Amino acid sequence: MAEFYSLRVNGVDREVVDAQLGESLLFVLRERLGLLGTKGACEQGECGSCSVLVDGELVCACLVLAAAQSGRDIVSIEGIAPAGVSTDVQQAFVDAGAVQCGFCTPGLVMAAHSLLERIVDPTDTEIREELSGNICRCTGYGRLVEAVANVAKTRIALGGNRG
Amino acid sequence: MADSGVATRQRPGRIGDSVVRPDGREKVRGEFRFSSDLPVEGALWGATLRSVHPHARIKRLDVTPAWKIPGVEAIITADDVPGKSTYGLIFADQPVFASEVVRYVGEPLAAVAADHPETCRKALEAIIVEYELLDPLTDPERAVDGSHPPIHPDGNVIRHQRVLCGDPDATGPVVVEGFYEMGMQDQAFLGLEAALALPDPGGAGVELHVATQAMHEDLHQIAACLGLPEDKVRLILAGVGGAFGGREDLSLQVHTCLLALRTGRPVRVHYGREESFLGHIHRHPARMWMRHHATADGRIIKIEARFVLDGGAYASTSSAVLVNAVTHTQGPYVCENAVVDGWSVRTNNPPCGAMRGFGVVQACFAHEGQMDKLAAACGLSAVEIRLRNAMRTGDRLITGQVVENVAPVERCIRETDALPLPDEPIGGFGDDPMRLPGGAGLTADRGHIRRGIGWGVAIKNMMYSEGFDDYSTARCSLADGVATLKFATAEVGQGFVTIAQQIARTLLGVDDVQLDRIDTTIGSAGSTSASRQTWMSGGAVDMACRRVRERLFEHVGRMWSVDPIRLVVDGDSVVDSSDSSRRISVADATAGQRFEETAEYHHPPTEPLDENGQGDCHTAFAFVAHRAVVDVDPELGLVKVIQVATAQDIGVALNPLSVVGQLEGGIAQGLGLAVMEEIVMQDGKIRNPSFTDYLLPTFLDMPPVVASLIEEPDPRAPLGAKGIGEPPCISVTPAIVAAIRDAIGKDLSRVPVRPQDICL
Amino acid sequence: MTVSVPTSVAEAVSLLAAAPDSLVLAGGTDLMVEVNAGHRSLDRVIAVDRIEELRDWSISADRRSLTIGSGVPYSLVMDGPIAELVPALAQASRTVGSPQIRHVGTIGGNLGTCSPAGDTLPVLAALDAQIHLRSVSGGRTVSFSHFMTGVKRNSRQPDELITGVTLPVLPGWQGYSKVGVRNAMVIATASSCLAVDESTRSVRVALGSVGPVIIRCTDAEDWVVGQIDWERRAVDDGVVAEFGQRCGVAARPIDDHRSTAAYRRRAIEVLSARQLRRAFPNG
């Protein structure tokens, strides 16, 4: 492989050209593919701002070598909701006051979706442990925990159908 | 803000409602553009070469090898700064690029622009710098005692300030004293420094998209350094990923503009996390001593204190931080006699300046430690000692200033005390190890853990001090039922944009309030700091909206031939208060009309301190109490904060949802300072410039917060509301430390409290 | 620079044979940090995270040993069958980084990096894990004690691929404890794994983050077996305390920006003593 490879991002095959092969998936999503919703804040996997799904697993895009991801299914914040519609998690974040500066928010939305896929009815501690890879400097986490708990409750009330 | 109109119509909200953010939808969808999200066709990348020594003479700086790297488009050094070579918020003592001497590790020496970040990295590596090492000044006490030669032409003492009040010889039967120390905290905003500069044709001017806290403060400093008139430099607020004081000083602004002007091309500069630790100022590390004299029943008679704040290599706001520290020595307590000496000094450590709490965090840690010592000496509880000394409206501070604000200190303490303690036992109700200190590390069993409770109470000044003419500007226009607001108030995440819309909706009876771009095409709003924007920019928006409403009433008055003074806004309509059947919707009343007003809000003037620290130097005050419950493993020194209770004097809850967010967020930062956050310095070098080693509280470190909002509208505040940003992070730190002391029965005088401080 | 993504061990080792200076990239959670910081430039990369046979695990027919492929992520070890067979390994895995890290970080990666703070390494040391390596010229197996040779150094040859580890399934208590300043996402300032083998009446202890390599406390191990009432699963408080001290003596900690040598030694004393008490709850 050299300066040309393709990535499947949000269900679309995208060509990555002129890339240097040491680039992380975070850099390639943002700078090569123009998907700016994924944020970088530490480049060490210590903040979770760049969380994306690769083959369904929540990962830090800054620690993923983009050039080795061909053939995998990558979902970024731009692909988590259909165009023009917000997911239940996204709406709950807004309504619960879980957003301040918003820099950690896309990563936390991804992490919250991933959590609620795996644990339908998480306890407070489970929410905190599952989201502990995502640092938020503004909110102190209280509204975020509430937002995620609200989504779980609503989903259960709706019988497992997703809003 | 393209969607704000839609969001507004869905959920109109007035003052007092829990209104959601206008930018919330964009932020959760990843569509909100931060300053790092501004790609432009043909833009170059910029990067900065920094000193690796804390103190050295630059013998040689040779950039020619970097020019040989393909893709390099510009290299600039101190010789390329066309205007003023230094900048600074209070004293212009900091070079844009070091030219003869470097004074801290991380000081900029040169900047490059190239086609790729990797090319920039190679170019920086290729630049040759030869240093002659100089003896670094890293111990602030050596700046105070004068035993180290000056490391800067302005000398090693940035400011010395005394506060002398009452009888210096007063004493009492109870005397307690203590030394206190605070480490260097980082703002650690998540959105790293980033900017995009777009040069005007021919280099006649530049447009800078930047994340900052203070548009016009930036503008004045940048234009001076670029040697351009201020109208040729246009600042546009790019999305700001948190600030907390760390964006009050310049970092990459001038460098980015210079590279763009030099190349004639757009230039983006993005710091990585390590560079961010080097590139912005931090909270002042402090060494403090206090001695309290009191009556046998615990009433403070006199306080003696000494502060040494390490300002690092350049002045930044060190002089103002010092004034806050020394003038808050007494805390929210009555004290008639004081002898206080404080220094903020220059060292070869990283520059320190503004961070949430601004000098008061340091003072509060010391005075609250003292209150607990006093309580112990007098046989009183932590609550009782604080109630006995609680300040009230009308009390005189040690500066001679009278507190004219609402001052519900006693109520803050009592309401905090009334909040329920956690009902769960040590380790929780189940067997979940995450409920114990050490968490998933499985370090302890229930029997190893002890619980403690601690208190902290604080007073915090709001707005600028010491005679600064502090003001904010806002413009409101109303046309066809839509209000539009324009201001240069930096929205850094705190939610002023939400409040501004609420004010306009409430006053003008419209749902749709558009927010114009935040830039420097309007007058200054000052900085988003000092808990001041709700008061100052809120005041300006309020004033502009009221003037527009006068114009609306005049217009409707003419239509109806009634005296405008009879008209009021009711719901979405203008109504004749003498004949309520006469009513017209604001939308109809403004059809085809346009009313526009600009307002400047100034707070009442303050005055500088005299040499004895006397003077009405502060604008206003807010108060808060915190109670912390912690579980501690005394043998391993691990801590888990179980609950924080707080009652805060907020004046009025303009947006309760947003108030809670500020309280919880501030408490998390105070918790970080209490038990984990510290920039570790060794010989002038930062040992932990990364999120792997500079630890921030995670979801699992932050406990539930129980809060009581004390709403006593302050008649001096334009909206009755006090600033709420800083108090949450101030007294929670001493409260947590006091709780740890309570759990283990050991004195702790330094934050952050490290495991070894507890168990060794 | 080239990036290869082999899908079999055979393919991976032949790539390594052709270019032994290649960088083997597993989950990337260590190496990409260095790449992002500019501390490591990439020339040839062999990404081994799509070799299915490395992501497998199996238990021996006699149920006495477990073999885990080097590509098995921590998240798989944390719960389920592996956690029941080797609880200490599951506990260690749960403390690694964050959920994001645990989804892609692997046992093989922990071995490849070989940091003294690697969370699974004290478990592998305590259990005398056998490390399997493969090259085009065949396979070999080394015990953990011969594998890790220093800070971020091991005896893997440049043309070798770490394919997995084999661990004994021991009858008896085992556990991993880790001290960090934060309640999540933290590098160990000190860690300890204690494992009891009731079949041989032995106790094994290994320490992390307190020396250049993982340290086995053989003195404490040998001493304590004679102090235990194996029938009653009991030890005296005095034995517990002395055991902790003996483990502390074995540690070789340093001062650095994360902690101090004195604290690390104290932490080992406390962790080891508490683990012994958990293993033998009766006094």
Side-chain angles (χ1 to χ4, degrees):
Chain A
M1 300 175 76
E3 288 77 28
F4 175 92
Y5 56 90
S6 75
L7 293 179
R8 186 164 181 81
V9 183
N10 300 329
V12 180
D13 288 316
R14 306 282 303 267
E15 305 298 335
V16 180
V17 293
D18 296 331
Q20 299 193 5
L21 291 186
E23 291 169 358
S24 68
L25 180 60
L26 171 63
F27 186 89
V28 168
L29 287 174
R30 290 176 51 81
E31 301 297 335
R32 304 285 173 208
L33 304 179
L35 295 169
L36 296 160
T38 306
K39 308 300 177 194
C42 78
E43 304 205 308
Q44 295 187 320
E46 294 279 350
C47 77
S49 305
C50 65
S51 297
V52 297
L53 298 171
V54 176
D55 283 347
E57 294 274 32
L58 186 74
V59 302
C60 289
C62 72
L63 299 184
V64 173
L65 185 66
Q69 304 310 310
S70 294
R72 284 190 163 145
D73 192 18
I74 298 160
V75 179
S76 69
I77 186 71
E78 291 86 353
I80 200 77
V85 182
S86 294
T87 65
D88 52 359
V89 169
Q90 289 171 324
Q91 191 60 48
F93 272 38
V94 175
D95 292 343
V99 179
Q100 288 186 32
C101 90
F103 203 84
C104 69
T105 307
L108 266 159
V109 167
M110 300 303 286
H113 273 288
S114 172
L115 154 66
L116 292 167
E117 285 291 321
R118 283 175 285 122
I119 308 175
V120 175
D121 188 14
T123 63
D124 177 86
T125 309
E126 280 172 329
I127 293 173
R128 290 178 183 274
E129 185 173 7
E130 289 292 327
L131 300 182
S132 64
N134 292 74
I135 298 281
C136 171
R137 188 56 158 164
C138 296
T139 67
Y141 306 110
R143 303 305 93 208
L144 285 158
V145 171
E146 185 173 295
V148 173
N150 287 346
V151 174
K153 263 183 258 162
T154 307
R155 286 189 186 182
I156 290 165
L158 294 172
N161 292 329
R162 223 148 291 139
Chain B
M1 307 275 166
D3 293 338
S4 63
V6 176
T8 343
R9 274 193 293 273
Q10 286 166 346
R11 301 196 51 163
R14 267 66 179 172
I15 288 294
D17 295 346
S18 278
V19 182
V20 302
R21 299 181 64 93
D23 54 12
R25 186 168 185 275
E26 291 177 287
K27 284 178 171 175
V28 294
R29 295 173 57 81
E31 292 164 357
F32 183 85
R33 291 291 164 253
F34 292 90
S35 59
S36 50
D37 303 332
L38 304 171
V40 170
E41 192 69 31
L44 296 167
W45 291 90
T48 314
L49 180 70
R50 294 174 184 277
S51 166
V52 295
H53 297 295
H55 196 199
R57 194 172 309 287
I58 303 164
K59 286 170 63 185
R60 179 171 165 231
L61 179 62
D62 183 359
V63 302
T64 46
W67 277 116
K68 293 172 186 159
I69 294 168
V72 171
E73 300 287 338
I75 306 174
I76 53 172
T77 67
D79 295 339
D80 302 295
V81 179
K84 200 168 169 179
S85 63
T86 57
Y87 65 89
L89 279 167
I90 297 175
F91 308 104
D93 70 341
Q94 182 158 5
V96 175
F97 293 110
S99 55
E100 292 168 11
V101 176
V102 291
R103 296 188 180 88
Y104 72 98
V105 173
E107 180 159 8
L109 289 158
V112 301
D115 57 357
H116 191 281
E118 190 56 33
T119 313
C120 290
R121 186 142 68 192
K122 287 179 186 151
L124 296 182
E125 278 172 16
I127 294 173
I128 296 167
V129 191
E130 287 178 17
Y131 298 96
E132 176 195 339
L133 299 189
L134 301 172
D135 182 23
L137 168 54
T138 55
D139 176 2
E141 290 289 356
R142 294 199 58 202
V144 175
D145 68 22
S147 66
H148 195 285
I151 60 168
H152 188 281
D154 294 352
N156 292 345
V157 174
I158 297 169
R159 181 165 178 176
H160 170 225
Q161 180 65 53
R162 310 198 78 185
V163 181
L164 293 179
C165 163
D167 175 7
D169 298 321
T171 187
V174 180
V175 178
V176 292
E177 72 176 301
F179 287 91
Y180 301 90
E181 189 176 348
M182 182 169 286
M184 189 187 292
Q185 190 180 19
D186 189 60
Q187 296 83 357
F189 41 73
L190 281 195
L192 291 159
E193 288 90 345
L196 165 70
L198 303 164
D200 291 347
V206 65
E207 180 174 296
L208 182 68
H209 297 252
V210 67
T212 177
Q213 285 176 248
M215 303 289 288
H216 286 79
E217 294 289 352
D218 276 19
L219 172 65
H220 303 324
Q221 297 175 86
I222 295 166
C225 293
L226 298 179
L228 289 172
E230 290 194 359
D231 63 356
K232 296 295 181 195
V233 179
R234 301 177 305 282
L235 261 67
I236 291 139
L237 187 72
V240 186
F244 317 117
R247 299 188 205 266
E248 209 163 305
D249 292 67
L250 294 185
S251 56
L252 43 57
Q253 285 88 333
V254 179
H255 304 154
T256 311
C257 290
L258 283 173
L259 289 170
L261 289 165
R262 174 59 64 96
T263 59
R265 289 170 63 177
V267 172
R268 298 165 70 190
V269 176
H270 291 190
Y271 287 180
R273 183 55 61 183
E274 180 172 354
E275 186 168 25
S276 179
F277 273 102
L278 300 174
H280 67 249
I281 52 83
H282 312 287
R283 188 191 298 289
H284 287 75
R287 295 178 197 179
M288 296 165 285
W289 166 83
M290 283 191 186
R291 182 153 62 199
H292 281 54
H293 304 248
T295 61
D297 64 350
R299 289 174 211 281
I300 298 168
I301 293 170
K302 186 182 75 175
I303 304 174
E304 298 165 276
R306 179 180 186 271
F307 292 84
V308 176
L309 305 183
D310 184 351
Y314 296 105
S316 178
T317 49
S318 279
S319 53
V321 172
L322 176 73
V323 161
N324 264 17
V326 296
T327 59
H328 286 71
T329 297
Q330 70 200 97
Y333 310 113
V334 177
C335 173
E336 293 184 350
N337 307 293
V339 181
V340 182
D341 254 307
W343 287 265
S344 60
V345 297
R346 195 186 302 276
T347 66
N348 294 116
N349 290 322
C352 288
M355 183 173 173
R356 198 174 192 172
F358 203 79
V360 181
V361 168
Q362 288 89 337
C364 184
F365 177 60
H367 70 63
E368 287 306 275
Q370 288 292 101
M371 293 308 283
D372 287 338
K373 282 181 197 242
L374 201 54
C378 299
L380 297 172
S381 71
V383 169
E384 184 56 34
I385 192 80
R386 289 169 170 86
L387 286 173
R388 276 190 196 180
N389 288 285
M391 175 184 288
R392 293 174 189 173
T393 302
D395 281 336
R396 192 174 290 276
L397 301 175
I398 58 173
T399 55
Q401 179 166 6
V402 173
V403 176
E404 292 173 0
N405 295 100
V406 169
V409 179
E410 182 180 336
R411 201 174 153 201
C412 286
I413 298 169
R414 290 197 189 280
E415 292 209 7
T416 301
D417 198 30
L419 290 166
L421 286 161
D423 56 356
E424 64 169 65
I426 289 170
F429 292 112
D431 278 330
D432 190 344
M434 302 311 278
R435 307 300 306 162
L436 290 167
L442 303 178
T443 52
D445 304 317
R446 278 173 214 270
H448 298 125
I449 305 304
R450 285 188 225 150
R451 180 162 288 182
I453 299 177
W455 279 82
V457 187
I459 173 176
K460 174 69 183 60
N461 65 318
M462 293 176 288
M463 280 72 78
Y464 298 154
S465 303
E466 288 196 280
F468 194 89
D469 179 22
D470 187 6
Y471 70 98
S472 179
T473 316
R475 184 163 68 226
C476 173
S477 60
L478 180 62
D480 298 317
V482 177
T484 302
L485 299 175
K486 171 88 180 177
F487 42 74
T489 308
E491 170 59 44
V492 302
Q494 83 279 25
F496 181 73
V497 288
T498 321
I499 300 285
Q501 289 183 323
Q502 290 175 258
I503 295 168
R505 285 191 204 111
T506 307
L507 290 174
L508 300 175
V510 294
D511 283 348
D512 193 351
V513 179
Q514 298 290 322
L515 300 173
D516 204 343
R517 191 171 76 169
I518 298 171
D519 59 30
T520 49
T521 62
I522 185 170
S524 176
S527 73
T528 296
S529 66
S531 301
R532 64 182 285 286
Q533 290 295 20
T534 295
W535 187 306
M536 299 299 300
S537 290
V541 168
D542 181 70
M543 195 183 279
C545 289
R546 285 176 191 277
R547 287 182 187 165
V548 164
R549 194 174 61 180
E550 291 307 310
R551 299 269 307 277
L552 170 66
F553 288 165
E554 284 162 19
H555 172 70
V556 174
R558 277 194 298 276
M559 280 177 17
W560 291 345
S561 300
V562 298
D563 187 339
I565 206 157
R566 287 166 47 180
L567 302 179
V568 294
V569 167
D570 176 37
D572 64 353
S573 300
V574 176
V575 178
D576 183 345
S577 59
S578 308
D579 174 7
S580 62
S581 68
R582 194 135 59 171
R583 160 185 294 267
I584 180 172
S585 74
V586 174
D588 289 342
T590 57
Q593 299 290 321
R594 180 181 176 83
F595 308 115
E596 182 171 298
E597 290 288 342
T598 300
E600 232 177 53
Y601 175 85
H602 293 248
H603 66 62
T606 58
E607 57 188 36
L609 291 177
D610 68 17
E611 61 179 19
N612 289 325
Q614 298 299 298
D616 294 348
C617 72
H618 293 310
T619 310
F621 301 93
F623 304 87
V624 66
H626 289 99
R627 182 191 67 203
V629 179
V630 305
D631 284 352
V632 185
D633 183 335
E635 289 184 293
L636 284 173
L638 302 182
V639 175
K640 184 172 177 68
V641 183
I642 299 298
Q643 185 206 55
V644 173
T646 183
Q648 187 170 327
D649 157 39
I650 63 170
V652 173
L654 302 179
N655 182 333
L657 189 65
S658 146
V659 172
V660 171
Q662 285 295 309
L663 263 55
E664 292 178 332
I667 285 168
Q669 293 183 4
L671 181 151
L673 178 60
V675 295
M676 64 181 81
E677 289 186 37
E678 182 177 11
I679 294 180
V680 179
M681 298 299 307
Q682 186 179 50
D683 302 328
K685 287 188 179 145
I686 298 179
R687 297 288 309 277
N688 57 339
S690 74
F691 278 179
T692 302
D693 285 316
Y694 184 89
L695 298 181
L696 299 164
T698 70
F699 270 91
L700 283 166
D701 299 290
M702 183 60 190
V705 171
V706 287
S708 174
L709 307 182
I710 295 181
E711 295 195 71
E712 294 183 20
D714 196 305
R716 291 162 60 88
L719 304 166
K722 292 185 175 181
I724 57 165
E726 291 175 289
C729 79
I730 295 173
S731 43
V732 69
T733 304
I736 290 169
V737 176
I740 301 171
R741 290 186 194 113
D742 182 49
I744 64 169
K746 182 178 169 183
D747 196 16
L748 297 164
S749 59
R750 182 190 191 281
V751 280
V753 177
R754 299 160 299 196
Q756 60 264 33
D757 299 331
I758 293 172
C759 71
L760 290 184
Chain C
M1 177 179 160
T2 58
V3 176
S4 308
V5 188
T7 54
S8 70
V9 171
E11 192 187 346
V13 295
S14 68
L15 285 162
L16 263 176
D21 58 341
S22 296
L23 194 68
V24 178
L25 190 74
T29 57
D30 288 327
L31 289 177
M32 285 302 289
V33 173
E34 296 181 32
V35 172
N36 290 336
H39 297 153
R40 191 187 281 267
S41 62
L42 296 181
D43 186 21
R44 287 194 185 82
V45 175
I46 303 175
V48 295
D49 59 343
R50 273 188 257 193
I51 302 176
E52 278 307 316
E53 59 197 287
L54 296 181
R55 298 172 66 87
D56 203 3
W57 62 275
S58 61
I59 185 160
S60 63
D62 61 4
R63 296 190 65 81
R64 287 197 179 156
S65 71
L66 174 74
T67 298
I68 302 173
S70 58
V72 170
Y74 300 115
S75 55
L76 193 71
V77 179
M78 278 168 58
D79 303 303
I82 299 179
E84 284 177 28
L85 296 166
V86 204
L89 192 66
Q91 292 165 5
S93 298
R94 189 182 177 189
T95 72
V96 175
S98 62
Q100 285 90 329
I101 303 296
R102 298 194 287 267
H103 287 147
V104 291
T106 63
I107 304 283
N110 222 207
L111 283 164
T113 298
C114 242
S115 160
D119 282 307
T120 66
L121 303 188
V123 182
L124 302 183
L127 298 180
D128 292 316
Q130 301 295 304
I131 318 298
H132 306 297
L133 299 144
R134 185 94 60 84
S135 71
V136 285
S137 41
R140 70 181 175 110
T141 295
V142 293
S143 68
F144 181 82
S145 60
H146 289 102
F147 180 77
M148 186 173 187
T149 55
V151 176
K152 298 196 174 180
R153 286 185 11 226
N154 59 45
S155 60
R156 179 183 82 87
Q157 296 302 303
D159 66 341
E160 287 180 322
L161 182 70
I162 301 164
T163 57
V165 294
T166 296
L167 302 158
V169 178
L170 298 181
W173 188 91
Q174 60 180 239
Y176 175 79
S177 292
K178 161 182 172 176
V179 169
V181 174
R182 188 160 68 174
N183 286 310
M185 242 193 337
V186 70
I187 291 176
T189 45
S191 64
S192 170
C193 175
L194 185 146
V196 176
D197 182 354
E198 287 179 354
S199 65
T200 60
R201 292 197 165 176
S202 63
V203 172
R204 299 109 169 272
V205 188
L207 313 177
S209 290
V210 289
V213 295
I214 305 302
I215 292 170
R216 272 291 288 270
C217 306
T218 48
D219 165 66
E221 293 175 7
D222 294 345
W223 173 79
V224 81
V225 289
Q227 311 295 322
I228 295 165
D229 181 341
W230 288 90
E231 299 303 323
R232 291 181 49 241
R233 299 183 63 222
V235 287
D236 293 340
D237 286 346
V239 171
V240 167
E242 183 168 347
F243 177 75
Q245 280 160 12
R246 284 174 181 255
C247 291
V249 168
R252 287 184 281 148
I254 57 164
D255 286 337
D256 65 13
H257 58 281
R258 292 187 188 134
S259 192
T260 64
Y263 175 75
R264 287 182 158 114
R265 194 181 300 281
R266 167 62 61 85
I268 291 299
E269 289 170 0
V270 174
L271 292 181
S272 305
R274 288 181 180 177
Q275 287 178 322
L276 186 69
R277 179 50 80 205
R278 286 175 183 166
F280 301 98
N282 304 313

